[in-house]
Amino acid sequence: MNEFENQKFCQSCAMPLADDELFATNADGSKNEDYCIYCFKDGEFTSDMSMDEMMSFCIDKMVEVHPEIDKDEASAMMREVFPKLKRWAND
């Protein structure tokens, strides 16, 4: 079984949503399980950026968390995944 099969990911930055503490909030304060607390808060995105800008921002974070992956590998992975995320699917 794929270890990511049942894993939720932020539909903006692709960060794994490992626990409820990372879920964003809707305007009414309820949890939003589609996005992380860094990308979406109180029913709105926390920053106005393009998909390419988000990928550039996330590359260094990914390499920091996964030192076995270099920037080119991280970029290639993001170019495959990001267009499928809810926030970017219509871009």
Side-chain angles (χ1 to χ4, degrees):
M1 178 187 277
N2 184 337
E3 68 180 285
F4 298 113
E5 189 172 313
N6 295 317
Q7 176 71 55
K8 289 184 180 268
F9 292 89
C10 175
Q11 294 297 300
S12 177
C13 71
M15 180 178 80
L17 297 173
D19 61 55
D20 293 357
E21 298 296 316
L22 294 173
F23 290 150
T25 54
N26 293 312
D28 64 2
S30 63
K31 293 285 183 186
N32 182 311
E33 296 183 20
D34 288 333
Y35 300 104
C36 73
I37 58 175
Y38 307 109
C39 290
F40 197 81
K41 183 178 178 181
D42 299 330
E44 296 182 9
F45 289 108
T46 58
S47 62
D48 183 24
M49 61 175 66
S50 69
M51 182 178 72
D52 287 336
E53 290 169 329
M54 179 64 81
M55 285 190 288
S56 292
F57 176 79
C58 291
I59 286 172
D60 289 334
K61 304 276 185 227
M62 186 173 188
V63 171
E64 182 180 317
V65 173
H66 297 281
E68 72 279 9
I69 299 172
D70 67 27
K71 286 185 178 190
D72 290 337
E73 289 173 301
S75 179
M77 292 166 77
M78 288 180 192
R79 293 224 171 273
E80 183 177 330
V81 171
F82 273 56
K84 298 173 187 172
L85 298 176
K86 190 175 190 176
R87 183 175 184 183
W88 314 115
N90 294 326
D91 277 2

Coordinates of all heavy atoms in Angstrom, one line a residue:
M1 N 0.8 -1.2 0.0 CA 0.0 0.0 0.0 C 0.9 1.2 0.0 O 1.9 1.3 0.7 CB -0.9 0.0 1.2 CG -1.8 1.2 1.3 SD -2.7 1.4 2.9 CE -4.1 0.3 2.4
N2 N 0.5 2.2 -0.8 CA 1.2 3.5 -0.8 C 1.1 4.2 0.5 O 0.0 4.4 1.0 CB 0.7 4.3 -2.0 CG 1.4 5.6 -2.2 OD1 2.1 6.1 -1.3 ND2 1.3 6.1 -3.4
E3 N 2.2 4.6 1.1 CA 2.2 5.3 2.4 C 1.5 6.6 2.4 O 1.0 7.1 3.4 CB 3.6 5.5 2.9 CG 4.4 6.5 2.1 CD 5.8 6.7 2.7 OE1 5.9 7.4 3.7 OE2 6.8 6.2 2.1
F4 N 1.2 7.2 1.2 CA 0.6 8.5 1.1 C -0.9 8.4 0.7 O -1.6 9.4 0.5 CB 1.3 9.4 0.0 CG 2.7 9.7 0.4 CD1 3.8 9.2 -0.3 CD2 3.0 10.5 1.5 CE1 5.1 9.5 0.1 CE2 4.3 10.8 1.9 CZ 5.3 10.3 1.2
E5 N -1.3 7.1 0.5 CA -2.7 6.9 0.0 C -3.8 7.6 0.8 O -4.7 8.2 0.3 CB -3.0 5.4 -0.1 CG -4.2 5.0 -0.8 CD -4.4 3.5 -1.0 OE1 -3.4 2.9 -1.4 OE2 -5.4 3.0 -0.7
N6 N -3.7 7.5 2.1 CA -4.7 8.1 3.0 C -4.2 9.4 3.6 O -4.9 9.9 4.5 CB -5.1 7.1 4.1 CG -5.7 5.9 3.5 OD1 -6.6 6.0 2.7 ND2 -5.3 4.7 4.0
Q7 N -3.1 9.9 3.2 CA -2.5 11.1 3.8 C -3.2 12.3 3.1 O -3.4 12.4 1.9 CB -1.0 11.2 3.5 CG -0.4 12.5 3.9 CD -0.3 12.6 5.4 OE1 0.3 11.8 6.1 NE2 -0.8 13.7 5.9
K8 N -3.6 13.3 3.9 CA -4.1 14.6 3.4 C -2.9 15.5 3.1 O -2.0 15.5 3.9 CB -5.1 15.2 4.4 CG -6.4 14.5 4.5 CD -7.3 15.3 5.4 CE -8.6 14.6 5.5 NZ -9.6 15.0 4.6
F9 N -3.1 16.3 2.1 CA -2.1 17.3 1.8 C -2.7 18.7 1.6 O -3.9 18.7 1.0 CB -1.3 16.9 0.5 CG -0.5 15.7 0.6 CD1 -1.0 14.5 0.4 CD2 0.9 15.8 1.0 CE1 -0.2 13.3 0.5 CE2 1.7 14.7 1.1 CZ 1.1 13.5 0.9
C10 N -2.1 19.7 1.9 CA -2.6 21.1 1.7 C -2.8 21.2 0.2 O -1.9 21.0 -0.6 CB -1.6 22.1 2.2 SG -2.1 23.8 1.8
Q11 N -3.9 21.7 -0.2 CA -4.3 21.9 -1.6 C -3.8 23.2 -2.2 O -4.2 23.6 -3.2 CB -5.8 21.7 -1.8 CG -6.3 20.3 -1.5 CD -5.7 19.3 -2.4 OE1 -5.9 19.4 -3.6 NE2 -5.0 18.3 -1.9
S12 N -2.8 23.8 -1.5 CA -2.2 25.0 -1.9 C -0.7 24.8 -2.0 O 0.0 25.1 -3.0 CB -2.5 26.2 -1.0 OG -1.8 27.3 -1.4
C13 N -0.1 24.2 -0.9 CA 1.4 24.1 -0.9 C 1.9 22.6 -0.9 O 3.1 22.4 -0.9 CB 2.0 24.8 0.3 SG 1.6 24.1 1.9
A14 N 0.9 21.7 -0.8 CA 1.2 20.3 -0.8 C 1.9 19.8 0.5 O 2.4 18.6 0.5 CB 2.0 19.8 -2.0
M15 N 1.9 20.5 1.5 CA 2.4 20.1 2.8 C 1.5 19.0 3.4 O 0.3 19.1 3.4 CB 2.5 21.2 3.8 CG 3.0 20.8 5.2 SD 3.2 22.2 6.3 CE 1.5 22.4 6.9
P16 N 2.1 17.9 3.9 CA 1.3 16.9 4.5 C 0.6 17.4 5.7 O 1.1 18.2 6.5 CB 2.3 15.8 5.0 CG 3.5 16.1 4.2 CD 3.5 17.6 3.9
L17 N -0.7 17.1 5.8 CA -1.5 17.5 7.0 C -1.6 16.4 7.9 O -2.6 15.6 8.0 CB -2.9 18.0 6.5 CG -2.9 19.2 5.5 CD1 -4.3 19.5 5.0 CD2 -2.3 20.4 6.2
A18 N -0.6 16.2 8.7 CA -0.4 15.0 9.5 C -1.3 15.0 10.7 O -1.6 14.0 11.3 CB 1.1 15.0 10.0
D19 N -1.8 16.2 11.2 CA -2.7 16.2 12.3 C -3.6 17.4 12.2 O -3.4 18.3 11.4 CB -2.0 16.1 13.7 CG -1.1 17.3 13.9 OD1 -1.6 18.5 13.8 OD2 0.1 17.1 14.2
D20 N -4.7 17.4 13.0 CA -5.7 18.4 12.9 C -5.2 19.8 13.2 O -5.8 20.8 12.8 CB -6.9 18.1 13.9 CG -7.7 16.8 13.5 OD1 -7.4 16.3 12.5 OD2 -8.6 16.5 14.3
E21 N -4.1 19.9 14.0 CA -3.6 21.2 14.3 C -3.1 22.0 13.1 O -2.9 23.2 13.2 CB -2.4 21.0 15.3 CG -2.8 20.4 16.6 CD -3.7 21.2 17.4 OE1 -3.5 22.4 17.5 OE2 -4.7 20.7 18.0
L22 N -2.8 21.3 12.0 CA -2.4 21.9 10.8 C -3.5 22.4 9.9 O -3.2 23.0 8.9 CB -1.4 21.0 10.1 CG -0.1 20.7 10.8 CD1 0.7 19.7 10.0 CD2 0.7 22.0 10.9
F23 N -4.7 22.0 10.2 CA -5.8 22.3 9.3 C -6.1 23.8 9.4 O -6.1 24.4 10.5 CB -7.1 21.6 9.7 CG -7.1 20.1 9.4 CD1 -7.8 19.2 10.1 CD2 -6.4 19.6 8.3 CE1 -7.8 17.9 9.8 CE2 -6.4 18.3 8.0 CZ -7.1 17.4 8.8
A24 N -6.5 24.4 8.3 CA -6.8 25.8 8.2 C -8.2 26.1 8.8 O -8.8 25.1 9.3 CB -6.8 26.3 6.7
T25 N -8.6 27.3 8.9 CA -9.9 27.7 9.4 C -10.7 28.4 8.3 O -10.2 29.2 7.5 CB -9.8 28.6 10.6 OG1 -9.0 29.8 10.3 CG2 -9.1 27.9 11.8
N26 N -12.0 28.1 8.4 CA -13.0 28.8 7.5 C -13.4 30.1 8.2 O -13.0 30.4 9.4 CB -14.2 28.0 7.3 CG -13.9 26.7 6.5 OD1 -13.3 26.8 5.5 ND2 -14.3 25.6 7.0
A27 N -14.1 31.0 7.5 CA -14.5 32.3 8.0 C -15.3 32.1 9.3 O -15.2 33.0 10.2 CB -15.4 33.0 7.0
D28 N -16.0 31.0 9.5 CA -16.8 30.8 10.7 C -16.0 30.2 11.9 O -16.6 29.9 12.9 CB -18.1 30.0 10.5 CG -17.8 28.6 10.0 OD1 -16.6 28.2 9.9 OD2 -18.8 27.9 9.7
G29 N -14.7 30.0 11.6 CA -13.8 29.4 12.6 C -13.8 27.9 12.6 O -13.0 27.3 13.3
S30 N -14.6 27.3 11.8 CA -14.5 25.8 11.6 C -13.3 25.4 10.9 O -12.6 26.2 10.2 CB -15.8 25.3 10.9 OG -15.8 25.8 9.6
K31 N -12.9 24.1 11.1 CA -11.7 23.6 10.4 C -11.9 23.4 8.9 O -13.0 23.0 8.5 CB -11.3 22.2 11.0 CG -10.8 22.3 12.5 CD -9.4 22.9 12.6 CE -9.0 22.9 14.0 NZ -7.7 23.5 14.2
N32 N -10.9 23.7 8.2 CA -10.9 23.5 6.7 C -9.8 22.5 6.5 O -8.6 22.7 6.6 CB -10.6 24.8 6.0 CG -10.6 24.6 4.5 OD1 -10.0 23.7 3.9 ND2 -11.4 25.5 3.8
E33 N -10.2 21.3 6.1 CA -9.3 20.1 5.9 C -8.6 20.1 4.5 O -7.8 19.2 4.2 CB -10.0 18.8 6.1 CG -10.5 18.7 7.6 CD -11.1 17.3 7.8 OE1 -10.9 16.4 7.1 OE2 -11.9 17.3 8.8
D34 N -8.9 21.1 3.7 CA -8.3 21.2 2.4 C -6.9 22.0 2.4 O -6.1 21.7 1.5 CB -9.2 21.9 1.3 CG -10.3 21.0 0.9 OD1 -10.2 19.8 1.0 OD2 -11.4 21.6 0.6
Y35 N -6.8 22.8 3.4 CA -5.6 23.7 3.4 C -4.9 23.7 4.7 O -5.5 23.4 5.8 CB -6.0 25.1 3.0 CG -6.6 25.3 1.6 CD1 -8.0 25.4 1.5 CD2 -5.8 25.2 0.5 CE1 -8.5 25.5 0.2 CE2 -6.4 25.2 -0.8 CZ -7.7 25.4 -0.9 OH -8.3 25.5 -2.1
C36 N -3.6 24.1 4.7 CA -2.9 24.2 6.0 C -3.1 25.6 6.6 O -3.5 26.5 5.9 CB -1.4 23.9 5.8 SG -0.5 25.2 4.9
I37 N -2.6 25.7 7.9 CA -2.8 27.0 8.6 C -1.9 28.1 8.0 O -2.1 29.2 8.3 CB -2.5 26.8 10.1 CG1 -1.0 26.2 10.3 CG2 -3.5 25.9 10.8 CD1 -0.6 26.1 11.8
Y38 N -0.9 27.7 7.3 CA 0.0 28.7 6.7 C -0.5 29.3 5.4 O -0.2 30.4 5.0 CB 1.4 28.1 6.4 CG 1.9 27.4 7.7 CD1 2.1 26.1 7.8 CD2 2.3 28.2 8.8 CE1 2.5 25.5 8.9 CE2 2.8 27.6 9.9 CZ 2.9 26.2 10.0 OH 3.4 25.7 11.2
C39 N -1.4 28.6 4.7 CA -1.9 29.0 3.4 C -3.3 29.6 3.5 O -3.6 30.4 2.6 CB -1.9 27.8 2.4 SG -0.3 27.2 1.9
F40 N -4.1 29.2 4.5 CA -5.5 29.6 4.5 C -5.9 29.9 5.9 O -5.6 29.0 6.8 CB -6.3 28.5 3.9 CG -7.7 28.8 3.5 CD1 -7.9 29.5 2.3 CD2 -8.8 28.5 4.3 CE1 -9.2 29.8 1.9 CE2 -10.1 28.8 3.9 CZ -10.3 29.4 2.7
K41 N -6.5 31.0 6.2 CA -6.9 31.4 7.6 C -8.1 32.2 7.5 O -8.3 33.1 6.7 CB -5.8 32.2 8.3 CG -6.1 32.5 9.7 CD -4.9 33.2 10.4 CE -5.3 33.5 11.8 NZ -4.2 34.2 12.5
D42 N -9.1 31.9 8.4 CA -10.3 32.6 8.5 C -11.1 32.8 7.1 O -11.6 33.8 6.8 CB -10.1 34.0 9.1 CG -9.5 33.9 10.5 OD1 -9.8 32.9 11.2 OD2 -8.8 34.8 10.9
G43 N -11.0 31.7 6.3 CA -11.7 31.7 5.1 C -11.0 32.3 3.9 O -11.6 32.5 2.8
E44 N -9.8 32.7 4.1 CA -9.1 33.4 3.0 C -7.6 32.9 2.9 O -7.0 32.5 3.9 CB -9.0 34.9 3.2 CG -10.4 35.6 3.2 CD -10.3 37.1 3.4 OE1 -9.1 37.6 3.4 OE2 -11.3 37.7 3.6
F45 N -7.1 33.0 1.7 CA -5.7 32.6 1.5 C -4.8 33.7 2.2 O -5.2 34.9 2.2 CB -5.3 32.5 0.0 CG -5.9 31.3 -0.6 CD1 -7.0 31.4 -1.5 CD2 -5.4 30.0 -0.3 CE1 -7.5 30.3 -2.1 CE2 -6.0 28.9 -0.9 CZ -7.1 29.0 -1.8
T46 N -3.7 33.2 2.8 CA -2.9 34.1 3.6 C -2.0 35.0 2.7 O -1.4 36.0 3.2 CB -2.1 33.4 4.6 OG1 -1.3 32.4 3.9 CG2 -2.9 32.7 5.6
S47 N -1.8 34.6 1.5 CA -1.0 35.4 0.6 C -1.5 35.2 -0.9 O -2.1 34.2 -1.2 CB 0.5 34.9 0.6 OG 0.6 33.5 0.2
D48 N -1.3 36.3 -1.6 CA -1.8 36.3 -3.0 C -0.6 36.1 -3.9 O 0.2 37.0 -4.1 CB -2.4 37.7 -3.3 CG -2.9 37.8 -4.7 OD1 -3.3 36.8 -5.3 OD2 -3.0 38.9 -5.2
M49 N -0.4 34.8 -4.3 CA 0.7 34.5 -5.1 C 0.3 33.5 -6.2 O -0.7 32.9 -6.1 CB 1.9 34.0 -4.3 CG 1.6 32.7 -3.5 SD 3.1 32.0 -2.7 CE 3.5 33.2 -1.4
S50 N 1.1 33.5 -7.2 CA 0.8 32.5 -8.3 C 1.3 31.1 -7.9 O 2.1 31.0 -6.9 CB 1.5 33.0 -9.6 OG 2.9 32.8 -9.4
M51 N 1.0 30.1 -8.7 CA 1.4 28.8 -8.4 C 3.0 28.7 -8.5 O 3.6 28.1 -7.7 CB 0.8 27.8 -9.4 CG 1.2 26.4 -9.2 SD 0.5 25.2 -10.3 CE 1.3 25.6 -11.9
D52 N 3.5 29.4 -9.5 CA 5.0 29.4 -9.6 C 5.7 30.1 -8.4 O 6.7 29.6 -8.0 CB 5.4 30.1 -10.9 CG 5.2 29.3 -12.2 OD1 5.1 28.0 -12.1 OD2 5.0 29.8 -13.3
E53 N 5.1 31.1 -7.9 CA 5.6 31.8 -6.8 C 5.5 30.9 -5.5 O 6.5 30.8 -4.7 CB 4.9 33.1 -6.5 CG 5.2 34.2 -7.5 CD 4.3 35.4 -7.4 OE1 3.1 35.2 -7.0 OE2 4.7 36.5 -7.7
M54 N 4.4 30.1 -5.4 CA 4.3 29.2 -4.3 C 5.3 28.1 -4.4 O 5.9 27.7 -3.4 CB 2.9 28.6 -4.3 CG 2.6 27.6 -3.2 SD 2.8 28.3 -1.5 CE 1.1 29.0 -1.3
M55 N 5.5 27.6 -5.6 CA 6.5 26.5 -5.8 C 7.9 27.0 -5.4 O 8.7 26.3 -4.7 CB 6.5 26.0 -7.2 CG 5.3 25.1 -7.5 SD 5.4 24.2 -9.0 CE 5.1 25.5 -10.2
S56 N 8.3 28.2 -5.8 CA 9.6 28.8 -5.5 C 9.7 28.9 -4.0 O 10.8 28.6 -3.5 CB 9.8 30.1 -6.2 OG 9.8 30.0 -7.6
F57 N 8.7 29.4 -3.3 CA 8.7 29.5 -1.9 C 8.9 28.2 -1.2 O 9.6 28.1 -0.2 CB 7.4 30.2 -1.4 CG 7.3 30.3 0.1 CD1 8.0 31.3 0.7 CD2 6.5 29.4 0.8 CE1 7.9 31.5 2.1 CE2 6.4 29.5 2.2 CZ 7.1 30.6 2.8
C58 N 8.3 27.1 -1.7 CA 8.3 25.8 -1.1 C 9.5 25.0 -1.3 O 9.8 24.1 -0.5 CB 7.0 25.0 -1.5 SG 5.5 25.7 -0.9
I59 N 10.2 25.3 -2.4 CA 11.4 24.5 -2.7 C 12.4 24.4 -1.6 O 12.8 23.4 -1.2 CB 12.1 25.0 -4.0 CG1 11.2 24.5 -5.2 CG2 13.5 24.4 -4.2 CD1 11.7 25.1 -6.6
D60 N 12.8 25.6 -1.1 CA 13.8 25.6 0.0 C 13.3 24.9 1.3 O 14.0 24.2 2.0 CB 14.2 27.0 0.4 CG 15.1 27.7 -0.7 OD1 15.8 26.9 -1.4 OD2 15.1 28.9 -0.8
K61 N 12.0 25.1 1.6 CA 11.4 24.4 2.7 C 11.4 22.9 2.6 O 11.8 22.2 3.5 CB 9.9 24.8 2.9 CG 9.7 26.3 3.0 CD 9.9 26.8 4.4 CE 9.6 28.2 4.5 NZ 10.6 29.0 5.2
M62 N 11.1 22.4 1.3 CA 11.2 21.0 1.1 C 12.6 20.4 1.2 O 12.8 19.3 1.8 CB 10.6 20.6 -0.3 CG 10.4 19.2 -0.6 SD 9.6 18.9 -2.1 CE 9.3 17.2 -2.1
V63 N 13.5 21.1 0.7 CA 14.9 20.6 0.7 C 15.4 20.7 2.2 O 16.2 19.8 2.6 CB 15.8 21.5 -0.2 CG1 17.3 21.2 0.0 CG2 15.4 21.3 -1.6
E64 N 15.0 21.6 3.0 CA 15.3 21.7 4.4 C 14.8 20.5 5.2 O 15.5 19.9 6.0 CB 14.8 23.0 5.0 CG 15.1 23.3 6.4 CD 14.6 24.6 6.9 OE1 14.6 25.6 6.2 OE2 14.0 24.6 8.0
V65 N 13.6 20.1 4.9 CA 12.9 19.0 5.6 C 13.4 17.7 5.1 O 13.5 16.7 5.8 CB 11.4 19.1 5.5 CG1 10.7 17.9 6.1 CG2 10.9 20.4 6.2
H66 N 13.7 17.7 3.8 CA 14.2 16.4 3.1 C 15.6 16.6 2.5 O 15.7 16.8 1.3 CB 13.2 16.0 2.1 CG 11.9 15.6 2.6 ND1 11.6 14.4 3.3 CD2 10.7 16.3 2.7 CE1 10.3 14.4 3.7 NE2 9.8 15.6 3.3
P67 N 16.6 16.6 3.3 CA 18.0 16.9 2.7 C 18.4 15.9 1.7 O 19.4 16.2 0.9 CB 18.9 16.9 3.9 CG 18.1 16.3 5.0 CD 16.7 16.4 4.7
E68 N 17.8 14.8 1.6 CA 18.1 13.8 0.6 C 17.7 14.2 -0.8 O 18.0 13.6 -1.8 CB 17.6 12.4 0.9 CG 16.1 12.3 0.8 CD 15.3 12.8 2.0 OE1 15.8 13.5 2.9 OE2 14.1 12.5 2.0
I69 N 16.8 15.3 -0.9 CA 16.3 15.8 -2.1 C 17.0 17.1 -2.5 O 17.0 18.0 -1.6 CB 14.8 16.0 -2.0 CG1 14.1 14.7 -1.7 CG2 14.2 16.6 -3.3 CD1 12.6 14.8 -1.4
D70 N 17.5 17.3 -3.7 CA 18.1 18.5 -4.1 C 17.0 19.5 -4.7 O 15.9 19.0 -4.9 CB 19.3 18.4 -5.0 CG 19.0 17.8 -6.3 OD1 17.8 18.0 -6.8 OD2 19.9 17.2 -6.9
K71 N 17.4 20.7 -4.9 CA 16.4 21.7 -5.4 C 15.8 21.3 -6.8 O 14.6 21.5 -7.0 CB 17.1 23.1 -5.5 CG 17.3 23.7 -4.2 CD 17.8 25.1 -4.3 CE 18.0 25.7 -2.9 NZ 18.3 27.2 -3.0
D72 N 16.6 20.7 -7.6 CA 16.1 20.3 -8.9 C 15.0 19.2 -8.8 O 14.0 19.2 -9.5 CB 17.2 19.8 -9.9 CG 18.1 21.0 -10.3 OD1 17.6 22.1 -10.3 OD2 19.3 20.7 -10.7
E73 N 15.3 18.2 -7.9 CA 14.3 17.2 -7.7 C 13.1 17.7 -7.0 O 11.9 17.3 -7.4 CB 14.9 16.1 -6.7 CG 16.0 15.3 -7.4 CD 16.7 14.4 -6.4 OE1 17.2 14.9 -5.3 OE2 16.6 13.1 -6.6
A74 N 13.2 18.6 -6.1 CA 12.1 19.2 -5.4 C 11.2 20.0 -6.5 O 10.0 19.9 -6.5 CB 12.5 20.2 -4.3
S75 N 11.9 20.7 -7.3 CA 11.2 21.5 -8.4 C 10.4 20.6 -9.3 O 9.2 20.8 -9.6 CB 12.2 22.4 -9.1 OG 11.5 23.1 -10.2
A76 N 11.0 19.5 -9.7 CA 10.4 18.5 -10.6 C 9.2 17.9 -10.0 O 8.1 17.8 -10.6 CB 11.4 17.5 -11.0
M77 N 9.3 17.6 -8.7 CA 8.2 17.0 -8.0 C 7.0 18.0 -7.9 O 5.9 17.6 -8.1 CB 8.6 16.5 -6.6 CG 9.6 15.4 -6.6 SD 10.4 15.1 -5.0 CE 9.1 14.3 -4.1
M78 N 7.3 19.2 -7.6 CA 6.3 20.2 -7.4 C 5.6 20.5 -8.8 O 4.4 20.7 -8.8 CB 6.9 21.5 -6.9 CG 7.2 21.3 -5.4 SD 7.9 22.9 -4.7 CE 8.5 22.2 -3.2
R79 N 6.4 20.5 -9.8 CA 5.8 20.8 -11.2 C 4.8 19.7 -11.6 O 3.9 19.9 -12.3 CB 6.9 20.9 -12.2 CG 7.7 22.1 -12.0 CD 8.0 22.9 -13.3 NE 8.6 24.1 -13.1 CZ 8.0 25.3 -12.8 NH1 6.7 25.3 -12.8 NH2 8.6 26.4 -12.6
E80 N 5.0 18.5 -11.0 CA 4.1 17.4 -11.3 C 2.8 17.5 -10.4 O 1.7 17.2 -10.8 CB 4.8 16.1 -11.1 CG 3.9 14.9 -11.4 CD 4.6 13.6 -11.2 OE1 5.9 13.5 -11.4 OE2 4.0 12.6 -10.9
V81 N 3.0 17.8 -9.1 CA 2.0 17.8 -8.1 C 1.1 19.1 -8.1 O -0.1 19.0 -8.0 CB 2.5 17.5 -6.7 CG1 1.5 17.7 -5.6 CG2 3.1 16.1 -6.7
F82 N 1.7 20.2 -8.1 CA 1.0 21.5 -7.9 C -0.2 21.7 -8.8 O -1.2 22.2 -8.4 CB 2.0 22.7 -7.9 CG 2.6 23.0 -6.5 CD1 3.3 22.0 -5.8 CD2 2.5 24.2 -6.0 CE1 3.8 22.2 -4.6 CE2 3.0 24.5 -4.7 CZ 3.7 23.5 -4.0
P83 N 0.0 21.5 -10.1 CA -1.2 21.7 -11.0 C -2.4 20.9 -10.7 O -3.5 21.2 -11.1 CB -0.6 21.4 -12.4 CG 0.8 21.5 -12.3 CD 1.2 21.1 -10.9
K84 N -2.2 19.8 -9.9 CA -3.3 18.9 -9.5 C -4.0 19.4 -8.2 O -5.1 18.9 -7.9 CB -2.8 17.5 -9.4 CG -2.3 16.9 -10.7 CD -1.7 15.6 -10.5 CE -1.0 15.1 -11.8 NZ -0.2 13.9 -11.5
L85 N -3.4 20.3 -7.5 CA -3.9 20.8 -6.2 C -5.1 21.6 -6.5 O -5.2 22.4 -7.5 CB -2.9 21.5 -5.4 CG -1.6 20.7 -5.0 CD1 -0.6 21.6 -4.3 CD2 -2.0 19.5 -4.1
K86 N -6.1 21.6 -5.6 CA -7.4 22.3 -5.7 C -7.2 23.8 -6.0 O -7.8 24.4 -6.9 CB -8.1 22.2 -4.4 CG -9.5 22.6 -4.4 CD -10.2 22.2 -3.0 CE -11.7 22.5 -3.1 NZ -12.3 22.0 -1.8
R87 N -6.2 24.5 -5.3 CA -6.0 25.9 -5.5 C -5.6 26.2 -6.9 O -5.9 27.3 -7.5 CB -5.1 26.5 -4.5 CG -4.9 28.0 -4.6 CD -4.0 28.5 -3.5 NE -3.9 30.0 -3.7 CZ -3.2 30.7 -2.9 NH1 -2.4 30.2 -1.9 NH2 -3.1 32.0 -3.0
W88 N -4.8 25.4 -7.5 CA -4.1 25.7 -8.8 C -4.7 24.9 -10.0 O -4.4 25.2 -11.1 CB -2.6 25.3 -8.7 CG -2.0 25.8 -7.5 CD1 -1.5 25.1 -6.4 CD2 -1.8 27.2 -7.1 NE1 -1.0 25.9 -5.4 CE2 -1.2 27.2 -5.8 CE3 -2.2 28.4 -7.7 CZ2 -0.9 28.4 -5.1 CZ3 -1.8 29.6 -7.0 CH2 -1.2 29.6 -5.7
A89 N -5.7 24.0 -9.8 CA -6.2 23.2 -10.8 C -6.8 24.0 -12.0 O -6.8 23.5 -13.1 CB -7.2 22.2 -10.2
N90 N -7.4 25.1 -11.7 CA -8.0 25.9 -12.8 C -7.1 26.9 -13.4 O -7.6 27.7 -14.3 CB -9.3 26.6 -12.2 CG -10.3 25.6 -11.8 OD1 -10.5 24.5 -12.5 ND2 -11.1 25.8 -10.8
D91 N -5.9 27.0 -13.0 CA -4.9 28.0 -13.5 C -4.5 27.6 -14.9 O -4.3 26.5 -15.3 CB -3.7 28.1 -12.7 CG -3.9 29.1 -11.5 OD1 -5.0 29.6 -11.4 OD2 -3.0 29.3 -10.7

